[in-house]
Amino acid sequence: MSFDIPSIAQYTPEATVFIGVILVFMLDVAGIRSRAIIGGATSIFLLLAFLQVLADLGSWPLQGLSTLPAGLLGTQNGPVIFTNFGLIFQGIFLLSALLVALASVSEADGEEVPTFYALLSLAALGMLFVAISADLIFLLLSVEITGIATYVMVGYTRKDRRAVEAAMKFYIIGALSTAISFFGASLLYGAYGTTSLTAFRALPANSSLALVGFGMVAVGLGFKATLVPFHMWAVDVYDGAPASVSAFLAAGSKKMGLFGIFIVFVAAVRIFASAQGFALYLALGALAVITMTVGNVMALEQTTMKRMLAYSSIAQAGYMLLGIAIDTPAALAGATLQITADVLMKAGAFIVVGAAVGLGVGPLITDWRGVGHSRPGIGASFAIMLLSLAGMPLTLGFVGKFYLFFAAVEAGGYFTLLAIAGLLNSALSVFYYARILRYMYMPESTGSATVGAHPLSHSSLGVGNAPAAPAWGSVRDEIRGTGSARWATVVGIALLLLVLGIYPTPIIGAMNSAAQQFLTLGL
Amino acid sequence: MSALAYPSPLTDLLAISLVGAAATFFAGKWARWVALTTAAVSLGIVIWVMVNFQLGTAFDYQFVQVVPWLTLSGGSGGIGVNYTVGIDGISLPFLLLSPILTIVSVVYHWNETKNPAGFFGLVGLTNAGLFGVFVSLDILLFFAFWEIVLIPMFFLIGHWGGPRRHYASIKFFVYTHVASVVTLVALFAMVFLGGWSSMDFGGSISTAQVAALDTKNIMVVPQVLLFGAMFFGFGVKLPMVPFHTWLPDAHVEAPTGGSVLLAGMLLKMGAYGLIRIAFPLLPYGHVNAEPVVLGIAFLSIIWGAFLSLSQRDLKRMVAYSSINHMGIVLLAIALWTQLSVTAAVLLMFAHGLVSGLLFLLSGSVHHTYGTRDIPSIGGMNSRTPALTTMLMIGSLASLGLPALVSFPAEFSAFLATWEALRWWVFLPLLGLVVTAGFYLWMLQRMAFGPPRGIPDKATDLPFNEMISMGLLVALIVLYGILPYLIVQFIPHAAIFATQCFHGGSTVCTSTP
């Protein structure tokens, strides 16, 4: 592609998504409430935007580490900058929204349907802006666009008291964290007289005010990324929200927080490289290790599937934070790969949990007894997602973790300890993922969790207390239970995890070059 | 003539065994036939490879295929990860053993009623993963297959195993997974400290290119640390005392066919990793760690033998005897001479056949007599002569009777020990005496004497079990009388492994 295109053309993905939002509102005015129509339209617009991003990525040379043309770089317009790294994240964000939009087509129709899709697209729009922001204020405002859209999404069903409670909690904590972020931004402005992320990098480490400022910005973004100790809301919200919204929070909005931390801290670690540089790495590394450890240890003792996935999602955030805690091209590329994998795994897993009711499966982990046999398609797909979360080979989750730990060992010294901590955590997580696999495929197994004793147990649905060896179910029953769009999304995600796990070459190539460029040339 | 990019028969082997395993899951009542055919075809390919294997020519991997896969950001200019496969005389015996034991397992479980398609599919998948481990010449590829093998074995133990299968399956999975992640860190560190530009550890090597894999520039202390981490990681799989506690649980709870693959193949992965990676690539490491390695080897031999002696459960006794045998393997590897490495590989080949047979026998005893408790059964020869005969052959093979396959292996291992350590050889020989003791004592109690604890409906071996055991007995005798058939491949590769790295001996650069 040529690079003298009018700058407005660079906003094509954003414009496409925005037109989608307008269209959904117009359909709402026209009184259309069908998920097939509205969800279909939203999916098409998100898909078009996604394809646009892919086409931009596709114009890159595949091989080589730093052979990218300056290309999309260098066209800074005030608070906006187009980088190849940001472009990859636009793709990741759009993918998460697209998967959720597709899967929720199978949910029930109702008057809230247009609201849901409009908010989903708006949230995606906010994330697209995050990926191109070159200014701290612009970044935080874009985060807030997504934030406000997601606060409403959590409670959009209105009749579910747990969801409304979750929305309230999410809203209050979200508002607080945003306030802290903006306060941090104002401190930075006080220290440097600018909020431009591109300008930060060249500045000297002249004041401890700036360190506090960066810390406070990180707190705000850390809430979104569910880093420990700012993770407490996540479990209740993921648990209370409708599963499709949880999928979007875990797959999409969390990644936005991580991306924000990446771009802010790439500047911060450069500023403080000479003075407190190592302490900053140490702090980030400790945050990453604590996050993954807390997530994994808490996940071990959960009895409901959604809470288990929520804690597992917190643990995954710890791995991804390693990308910036190590701060090498390999680590950042590894983190990007792991984020991509996690978008697929977490969106897929929450979508599966959302489909559970339609399949006659209760909310407890023990309710999944025998699902591998009675629901072969969904069961196998879920198993692939769990194996990928555990980092088993042939899946994308393996390649991502492998690359991250590889990068940590490459960085050497103290960073090797991060690799060891991460690997031990990964081994720990195998416990709870393997436990679900055991229930799904070894239905007669007895676990410590007592079936039926839990107040949430859907024992009336029958499957929770399944007989010893359920017969193999037919795929057709299963599609009827989950809805064809949701079924196809789940199976598609599982296949994508496998295909990219075996042949990640193209996306790894793109991420290598983008990460290298991002770290050397900067925003 | 290394690093050719032509399609290798090894790629065909991997593809066929993977596709066959996948097809087995969907084959319904034909699953056993699909599984058997897949294993037989893969055995055929292995035999073709053996026939076309060039003996004693250049020091080089054969049937090599290199396909670029990924480039990781790192080092100077990125680190390449390739799909690199190839074999030498050290991997070949394992390649032969894997389909044989798969066939044996499938035939033994021919009448499996509990979800047979799943069972045979998982057995096939294990076989495919094992092929991958033994042909990979790239660190990522090797590690990926190493981990893949865990997954089907986890399901095999967890779904088809004995009463405590759930505990055993999770323990097996987590224990060996922790070990492999420790190995992984050490492998990465070796790549970086050695300054490699790709993760290949063999495909691109000919004698002229050994320098490309040089790890001499890693200092002594890091080498010892790396070696320690790898030794732990591979040693857990082996298993060595004191990291052996997963083994009895996993073996005893696994279904018979699973135990056969577990003892026959999975344990060998650990020793193979030591021979292929840890010892040749980290010379300072293993030289400095040798006293520790030898000590653990002696401990495993003696401790394993005495543990076996104290067991009442037949299957548990066989499982513990694996610790003893793998201790001898570890001893032979630690000596790191041409003779000892040859002995180690041969011993593993022998142990694969013999322990496979013994696990089949434990399974048959269990379902014929309703128990595996040694003291409560007696006089088996009066009711089940065929089973008793097999049990005698298996026991005698395991204790190293001449003309059976273990004898040449153990003899050469002890010869190598005598050459290197002189009188220390009596320590492992003591283990051998105890081994002979517990097998003969078991035979005395179970096979002979007045009938005891024999159910009325006890019948002799069914046809399919007879076939699978007969196959193993035939091979045990064949390779016992003509060990040359398998030994011919090994010594040449053993010289390469023990002497050619780091510019080593001049023998490597001379073309025969």
Side-chain angles (χ1 to χ4, degrees):
Chain A
M1 62 188 286
S2 64
F3 302 107
D4 52 351
I5 42 172
S7 64
I8 191 74
Q10 295 187 323
Y11 296 96
T12 315
E14 290 84 353
T16 313
V17 173
F18 188 65
I19 294 170
V21 176
I22 304 287
L23 185 77
V24 170
F25 280 132
M26 283 162 64
L27 288 172
D28 186 20
V29 172
I32 293 170
R33 301 278 188 273
S34 152
R35 278 199 186 251
I37 294 173
I38 294 179
T42 308
S43 303
I44 287 170
F45 278 93
L46 288 169
L47 181 66
L48 284 176
F50 183 61
L51 290 178
Q52 175 65 36
V53 171
L54 279 193
D56 285 350
L57 289 173
S59 65
W60 296 359
L62 270 187
Q63 296 299 323
L65 285 172
S66 49
T67 52
L68 272 186
L72 296 161
L73 269 170
T75 49
Q76 185 178 0
N77 279 323
V80 169
I81 189 170
F82 292 92
T83 64
N84 295 320
F85 191 62
L87 190 60
I88 286 183
F89 270 85
Q90 286 198 329
I92 290 172
F93 296 154
L94 283 169
L95 180 66
S96 68
L98 177 61
L99 292 173
V100 173
L102 276 176
S104 39
V105 168
S106 294
E107 286 172 17
D109 289 346
E111 58 171 333
E112 310 94 342
V113 170
T115 320
F116 173 76
Y117 282 104
L119 289 169
L120 181 66
S121 297
L122 265 179
L125 187 61
M127 301 200 307
L128 291 181
F129 283 131
V130 168
I132 57 170
S133 49
D135 186 283
L136 197 53
I137 301 298
F138 185 84
L139 171 75
L140 293 175
L141 284 174
S142 309
V143 166
E144 221 27 41
I145 296 179
T146 308
I148 290 172
T150 46
Y151 304 149
V152 185
M153 279 167 81
V154 169
Y156 88 99
T157 50
R158 286 188 292 178
K159 295 179 192 74
D160 184 350
R161 290 186 52 176
R162 275 158 45 80
V164 174
E165 185 198 323
M168 281 305 292
K169 191 175 279 181
F170 189 26
Y171 169 66
I172 291 168
I173 294 180
L176 183 68
S177 68
T178 312
I180 295 174
S181 281
F182 274 103
F183 191 31
S186 72
L187 291 182
L188 284 173
Y189 185 74
Y192 291 129
T194 176
T195 52
S196 165
L197 288 167
T198 42
F200 277 155
R201 189 182 282 215
L203 292 171
N206 61 352
S207 79
S208 54
L209 192 62
L211 199 60
V212 177
F214 277 119
M216 293 181 81
V217 172
V219 168
L221 294 168
F223 270 107
K224 287 278 181 292
T226 68
L227 300 179
V228 174
F230 319 117
H231 67 291
M232 304 301 280
W233 63 274
V235 180
D236 292 338
V237 172
Y238 288 8
D239 189 24
S244 51
V245 178
S246 307
F248 184 67
L249 289 178
S253 104
K254 171 202 285 272
K255 309 301 185 291
M256 177 189 69
L258 279 163
F259 178 79
I261 289 179
F262 285 177
I263 62 174
V264 171
F265 268 84
V266 162
V269 293
R270 298 283 172 300
I271 290 178
F272 292 101
S274 50
Q276 293 94 341
F278 187 71
L280 209 52
Y281 284 128
L282 211 58
L284 283 169
L287 199 60
V289 171
I290 291 172
T291 301
M292 61 179 95
T293 311
V294 168
N296 278 326
V297 169
M298 293 301 290
L300 276 178
E301 52 187 43
Q302 299 306 314
T303 51
T304 68
M305 193 62 113
K306 256 180 154 178
R307 292 184 81 86
M308 192 286 291
L309 285 176
Y311 277 112
S312 127
S313 172
I314 290 169
Q316 297 286 333
Y319 299 121
M320 296 163 209
L321 190 64
L322 284 179
I324 190 65
I326 298 166
D327 190 30
T328 61
L332 206 55
T336 313
L337 194 63
Q338 179 67 14
I339 285 175
T340 314
D342 197 58
V343 165
L344 293 170
M345 301 181 301
K346 272 287 145 33
F350 275 110
I351 291 168
V352 168
V353 172
V357 179
L359 291 171
V361 178
L364 296 182
I365 291 174
T366 45
D367 292 337
W368 287 77
R369 228 172 261 271
V371 171
H373 299 292
S374 59
R375 318 282 179 213
I378 291 279
S381 305
F382 194 37
I384 290 170
M385 289 164 197
L386 292 171
L387 287 172
S388 181
L389 280 167
M392 286 292 134
L394 293 188
T395 62
L396 193 55
F398 168 73
V399 188
K401 272 191 187 161
F402 180 91
Y403 202 172
L404 263 178
F405 299 143
F406 171 87
V409 177
E410 187 210 7
Y414 141 78
F415 297 105
T416 313
L417 295 180
L418 292 183
I420 292 171
L423 281 163
L424 290 179
N425 257 291
S426 178
L428 183 65
S429 72
V430 165
F431 260 117
Y432 57 88
Y433 296 126
R435 192 177 53 166
I436 303 174
L437 289 176
R438 201 182 74 185
Y439 281 122
M440 280 168 54
Y441 286 96
M442 305 163 197
E444 77 281 29
S445 71
T446 50
S448 51
T450 46
V451 183
H454 194 282
L456 287 173
S457 177
H458 281 199
S459 52
S460 60
L461 290 169
V463 180
N465 299 315
W472 282 85
S474 81
V475 173
R476 195 182 297 158
D477 286 349
E478 181 182 319
I479 297 178
R480 200 176 301 134
T482 55
S484 48
R486 185 149 51 183
W487 191 85
T489 312
V490 168
V491 174
I493 289 173
L495 288 178
L496 207 54
L497 280 172
L498 283 182
V499 169
L500 289 178
I502 295 167
Y503 190 69
T505 315
I507 60 170
I508 281 198
M511 285 164 189
N512 278 336
S513 4
Q516 189 137 19
Q517 212 172 47
F518 177 66
L519 286 183
T520 50
L521 300 179
L523 275 173
Chain B
M1 53 151 273
S2 67
L4 296 178
Y6 61 80
S8 160
L10 303 174
T11 305
D12 302 340
L13 188 63
L14 281 176
I16 287 173
S17 50
L18 269 175
V19 171
T24 310
F25 284 107
F26 300 101
K29 63 183 164 131
W30 294 99
R32 53 192 185 180
W33 287 105
V34 177
L36 186 63
T37 313
T38 309
V41 170
S42 59
L43 180 62
I45 297 176
V46 172
I47 291 173
W48 185 88
V49 165
M50 288 175 76
V51 170
N52 288 281
F53 190 88
Q54 292 178 338
L55 288 171
T57 56
F59 289 102
D60 211 346
Y61 290 93
Q62 301 187 26
F63 306 100
V64 173
Q65 184 178 6
V66 181
V67 182
W69 186 18
L70 306 172
T71 305
L72 300 182
S73 191
S76 54
I79 289 179
V81 177
N82 301 326
Y83 167 83
T84 306
V85 293
I87 53 164
D88 66 356
I90 290 175
S91 34
L92 197 57
F94 301 105
L95 224 49
L96 177 63
L97 195 55
S98 185
I100 290 175
L101 291 181
T102 306
I103 291 173
V104 164
S105 303
V106 171
V107 172
Y108 187 86
H109 284 271
W110 196 248
N111 299 319
E112 179 70 43
T113 51
K114 187 176 180 182
N115 187 5
F119 181 85
F120 293 122
L122 289 169
V123 168
L125 203 56
T126 313
N127 184 34
L130 287 164
F131 280 142
V133 169
F134 292 113
V135 302
S136 298
L137 294 178
D138 180 279
I139 283 175
L140 175 59
L141 198 64
F142 175 81
F143 186 78
F145 281 117
W146 178 282
E147 288 283 281
I148 286 171
V149 172
L150 287 186
I151 300 169
M153 192 48 76
F154 165 74
F155 284 109
L156 278 174
I157 298 174
H159 193 53
W160 285 272
R164 290 169 65 242
R165 57 185 172 275
H166 303 299
Y167 167 74
S169 62
I170 298 255
K171 183 171 179 181
F172 162 76
F173 199 41
V174 172
Y175 219 114
T176 51
H177 184 68
V178 169
S180 24
V181 299
V182 173
T183 318
L184 186 64
V185 174
L187 291 173
F188 283 160
M190 183 175 74
V191 169
F192 291 120
L193 294 174
W196 298 12
S197 62
S198 97
M199 289 223 185
D200 273 20
F201 60 85
S204 51
I205 305 183
S206 63
T207 44
Q209 292 169 313
V210 165
L213 258 194
D214 205 351
T215 38
K216 256 192 310 194
N217 52 351
I218 307 180
M219 292 297 106
V220 175
V221 174
Q223 272 209 28
V224 172
L225 290 176
L226 291 183
F227 181 81
M230 285 191 207
F231 181 61
F232 166 75
F234 292 134
V236 166
K237 200 79 159 193
L238 200 58
M240 60 189 184
V241 177
F243 305 111
H244 63 285
T245 58
W246 64 270
L247 177 129
D249 288 311
H251 273 74
V252 171
E253 300 307 323
T256 304
S259 299
V260 169
L261 286 172
L262 198 54
M265 297 307 301
L266 265 69
L267 304 189
K268 275 66 180 179
M269 287 162 55
Y272 179 77
L274 289 174
I275 297 181
R276 180 62 84 222
I277 298 176
F279 272 72
L281 296 181
L282 296 168
Y284 299 146
H286 82 78
V287 168
N288 286 294
E290 197 175 3
V292 178
V293 179
L294 284 175
I296 288 181
F298 287 140
L299 189 63
S300 296
I301 294 170
I302 308 277
W303 191 248
F306 277 104
L307 278 174
S308 296
L309 185 64
S310 65
Q311 299 305 318
R312 289 170 60 102
D313 183 328
L314 179 62
K315 200 172 184 183
R316 198 167 264 273
M317 185 193 89
V318 175
Y320 276 115
S321 82
S322 290
I323 299 175
N324 163 278
H325 284 116
M326 295 314 282
I328 304 178
V329 170
L330 184 60
L331 170 65
I333 296 172
L335 299 173
W336 204 239
T337 62
Q338 184 196 7
L339 175 62
S340 77
V341 171
T342 308
V345 175
L346 184 60
L347 193 53
M348 285 192 270
F349 184 74
H351 181 254
L353 295 174
V354 174
S355 69
L357 177 61
L358 284 167
F359 277 113
L360 294 184
L361 285 161
S362 311
S364 294
V365 166
H366 185 72
H367 67 71
T368 307
Y369 292 93
T371 176
R372 294 187 304 249
D373 190 39
I374 298 171
S376 57
I377 305 172
M380 276 169 54
N381 63 344
S382 63
R383 282 296 288 275
T384 54
L387 176 59
T388 315
T389 312
M390 293 289 183
L391 189 61
M392 286 180 64
I393 297 174
S395 304
L396 294 175
S398 190
L399 62 80
L401 192 76
L404 298 177
V405 68
S406 299
F407 175 72
E410 289 189 359
F411 181 76
S412 35
F414 290 125
L415 191 62
T417 313
W418 169 255
E419 279 184 352
L421 301 174
R422 298 291 155 182
W423 299 103
W424 284 96
V425 75
F426 279 95
L427 215 51
L429 279 174
L430 171 67
L432 202 64
V433 171
V434 178
T435 306
F438 67 74
Y439 274 116
L440 293 175
W441 191 34
M442 180 273 291
L443 281 179
Q444 187 191 18
R445 285 182 290 176
M446 289 183 83
F448 307 112
R452 204 153 27 83
I454 298 180
D456 294 335
K457 57 180 170 46
T459 51
D460 214 346
L461 291 177
F463 182 66
N464 62 319
E465 296 182 9
M466 199 72 159
I467 293 287
S468 67
M469 290 181 196
L471 181 63
L472 284 178
V473 168
L475 291 171
I476 287 170
V477 174
L478 174 71
Y479 286 113
I481 297 171
L482 298 170
Y484 175 75
L485 288 179
I486 195 75
V487 174
Q488 58 179 340
F489 298 104
I490 310 172
H492 194 70
I495 297 186
F496 178 59
T498 51
Q499 294 175 33
C500 290
F501 284 83
H502 312 288
S505 133
T506 49
V507 69
C508 308
T509 44
S510 61
T511 33

